[in-house]
Amino acid sequence: MPALVLLGAQWGDEGKGKATDLLGGSVDYVVRYQGGNNAGHTVVVGDQKYALHLLPSGILSPSCTPVIGNGVVVDPAVLLSELSGLNERGVDTSKLLISGNAHLITPYHQTVDKVTERFLGKRKIGTTGRGIGPAYADKINRVGIRVQDLFDESILIQKVEAALNDKNQILVKLFNRRAISAEQVVEEYLGYAEQIRDYVADTTLILNNAIDEGKVVLFEGGQGTLLDVDHGTYPFVTSSNPTAGGACTGAGVGPTKINRVIGILKAYTTRVGAGPFPTELFDADGEALRTIGGERGVTTGRDRRCGWFDAVIARYATRVNGLTDFFLTKLDVLTGWEQIPVCVAYEIDGRRVEELPYSQTDFHHAKPIYENLPGWSEDITKAKTFADLPKNAQAYVKALEQMSGAPISAIGVGPGRDETIQVNSFL
Ligand code: GDP
Ligand code: IMO
Ligand code: MG
């Protein structure tokens, strides 16, 4: 089983960090293939809690080589501070590899991200403000700065000047902001070059060789399927492809090399930022999910919007990612409800709709059609096997599996590494 993709099946924060860390001990490489430090992955190891933003969650497993692929956008200041934070806690980060083709986030991307959001007013996306969208826009516009540009001063100067040409016009004339000095950006970024140089490698070659040699490579998605710029709830999305295809382009590995695609699926639903969310709750149940589930953003500290499980979305994630398995997380959070509503279809303008509508207008009008499943009150956090779960919890998992279209191969019953029921092996 040489290559697996592990990705978010909903709107992010499904528990990808925990799932990746769990597998980290058995895989040789863990690769981030898209996104940047908009991600916030919490990993709990024993009594230690780690919040990772840019680095792959496999970095906490000593046997695993963490890789930042070409599809990632890298903020070098964040990278270096995350590395030194881990080093201070005794984590060895020396094996990290970074693609020279990955693009850099610069201070002007962050400025543009923030002013754009402000000027969108009520129509804002609710971005993380980390400069992600503007950095990807520059990449597609062919005025991006890549990691490898840090090592050629004259190219770096030319590229930063080119990128700032129109941005400064926009900042000054449209947004009434001060122009950004190309010299200052270049000086700051040249200062990062030597600190990053030793990590930079031809990651595509290394990963393809590793797969050919039978090594196990895990591609770790950031964000989630419904935040995908092509397949998500556009424009309320992030600016990259967290879906399975993104692993191929974002790491330089062909689709024929990937054997398994695991969707991380929360036993209910959350979302951060703006955009449609059919099962969102505005009542005491929503507040209870937020409190019991600890649903507060790791990156921005914002409260996550909470709602019941949505099987239409899970089915869609199975389809657009070709999922082979689900890892169902946070089942323990649902303990204590007498009845647990699950959205099985939508009502859109009087019609029953079983699949995610492709029309944005329809999705904004979608009302959930719920089926109530019986709840359980027993503590499940110590469950080690499926049979240890109360009958109603077993039935809830089986019902979700049947509605979602792929086997649930692991179940999270707590944040810790060992608080997991493995139903089928991933490797
Ligand atoms: P990610 O962005 O997908 O990695 O997810 P986050 O780390 O942002 O959010 C998931 C949160 O749920 C984290 O605080 C995890 O420690 C926690 N978590 C993961 N799996 C479980 C689980 O099965 N049960 C509980 N109670 N918490 C979990
Ligand atoms: P992880 O990896 C949840 C959301 C933002 C916003 C939209 C666009 O922890 O699951 P961006 O800054 O990316 O341009 O913001 O995407 N968003 C996330 N929501 N989890 C994440 O990452 C997210 N990364 C971005 O809230 O709505
Ligand atoms: Mg997160």
Side-chain angles (χ1 to χ4, degrees):
M1 189 53 65
L4 314 88
V5 180
L6 190 157
L7 53 81
Q10 295 151 320
W11 275 287
D13 303 324
E14 298 90 348
K16 299 176 292 293
K18 173 192 156 166
T20 303
D21 169 67
L22 186 69
L23 288 168
S26 346
V27 307
D28 300 298
Y29 293 86
V30 173
V31 188
R32 278 286 304 270
Y33 57 86
Q34 49 66 237
N37 59 308
N38 48 349
H41 299 171
T42 308
V43 180
V44 180
V45 185
D47 60 356
Q48 293 289 309
K49 191 168 168 177
Y50 299 89
L52 300 167
H53 297 283
L54 182 57
L55 295 168
S57 305
I59 201 149
L60 300 173
S61 301
S63 60
C64 177
T65 301
V67 180
I68 293 181
N70 57 278
V72 174
V73 284
V74 177
D75 183 327
V78 171
L79 173 75
L80 294 170
S81 90
E82 209 165 304
L83 285 171
S84 66
L86 288 175
N87 295 154
E88 278 163 24
R89 296 175 70 179
V91 178
D92 176 13
T93 57
S94 60
K95 291 214 269 184
L96 176 69
L97 301 175
I98 304 174
S99 166
N101 287 350
H103 279 246
L104 292 172
I105 300 178
T106 67
Y108 51 82
H109 295 124
Q110 292 164 36
T111 304
V112 172
D113 194 354
K114 286 176 189 146
V115 290
T116 311
E117 280 282 276
R118 194 163 310 148
F119 274 72
L120 276 171
K122 276 206 309 223
R123 290 182 299 120
K124 72 177 181 193
I125 311 292
T127 72
T128 59
R130 302 297 193 263
I132 305 293
Y136 277 114
D138 276 4
K139 172 177 173 174
I140 300 300
N141 270 334
R142 294 165 293 191
V143 289
I145 317 291
R146 295 190 292 176
V147 168
Q148 58 180 291
D149 298 329
L150 292 175
F151 312 119
D152 187 327
E153 187 171 344
S154 73
I155 287 215
L156 183 66
I157 293 167
Q158 286 172 42
K159 288 193 173 181
V160 172
E161 279 173 352
L164 280 175
N165 241 341
D166 59 335
K167 269 177 215 77
N168 273 337
Q169 301 273 348
I170 293 169
L171 281 176
V172 174
K173 294 186 182 153
L174 190 64
F175 293 126
N176 208 16
R177 288 299 200 97
R178 263 192 291 167
I180 292 170
S181 143
E183 291 73 36
Q184 263 177 27
V185 174
V186 169
E187 194 189 322
E188 181 187 342
Y189 275 57
L190 284 175
Y192 299 132
E194 288 319 306
Q195 300 176 71
I196 290 178
R197 190 189 284 275
D198 287 348
Y199 298 117
V200 180
D202 186 348
T203 52
T204 296
L205 182 65
I206 293 168
L207 292 172
N208 277 280
N209 284 344
I211 294 172
D212 290 344
E213 287 163 17
K215 300 250 166 60
V216 185
V217 179
L218 176 69
F219 299 93
E220 178 192 15
Q223 293 75 54
T225 300
L226 275 297
L227 287 172
D228 186 284
V229 68
D230 284 273
H231 302 291
T233 48
Y234 191 91
F236 301 102
V237 292
T238 192
S239 298
S240 66
N241 290 114
T243 48
C248 295
T249 48
V253 167
T256 50
K257 299 262 169 101
I258 290 169
N259 320 67
R260 208 148 176 182
V261 185
I262 303 162
I264 312 303
L265 187 67
K266 212 179 268 191
Y268 50 98
T269 315
T270 63
R271 175 165 203 169
V272 194
F277 178 1
T279 62
E280 182 169 13
L281 293 167
F282 299 95
D283 58 6
D285 281 333
E287 199 48 54
L289 287 173
R290 188 155 35 248
T291 310
I292 302 167
E295 297 297 353
R296 173 157 301 184
V298 187
T299 299
T300 56
R302 288 179 287 181
D303 274 356
R304 294 174 181 155
R305 301 157 64 192
C306 295
W308 298 123
F309 183 83
D310 185 336
V312 182
I313 280 171
R315 271 201 295 284
Y316 179 72
T318 304
R319 167 162 41 113
V320 298
N321 294 300
L323 296 182
T324 56
D325 303 81
F326 279 114
F327 187 143
L328 186 72
T329 60
K330 304 190 98 163
L331 186 65
D332 52 300
V333 174
L334 293 179
T335 300
W337 266 276
E338 221 165 279
Q339 300 275 325
I340 308 172
V342 169
C343 168
V344 294
Y346 300 141
E347 190 201 305
I348 302 175
D349 301 330
R351 288 172 297 127
R352 184 184 169 104
V353 175
E354 307 277 340
E355 297 294 337
L356 198 87
Y358 72 85
S359 143
Q360 181 184 356
T361 309
D362 280 354
F363 194 53
H364 278 262
H365 292 172
K367 293 197 178 62
I369 298 175
Y370 286 117
E371 229 171 64
N372 281 326
L373 301 180
W376 60 92
S377 54
E378 301 88 333
D379 176 17
I380 62 168
T381 56
K382 305 280 178 301
K384 296 286 172 231
T385 67
F386 190 70
D388 292 342
L389 291 174
K391 286 281 167 285
N392 286 350
Q394 291 185 14
Y396 185 81
V397 173
K398 282 290 158 205
L400 264 46
E401 178 173 88
Q402 198 260 326
M403 293 172 199
S404 305
I408 292 177
S409 295
I411 303 161
V413 292
R417 257 184 199 170
D418 51 347
E419 289 169 309
T420 307
I421 298 170
Q422 196 76 46
V423 183
N424 308 307
S425 166
F426 287 127
L427 295 168

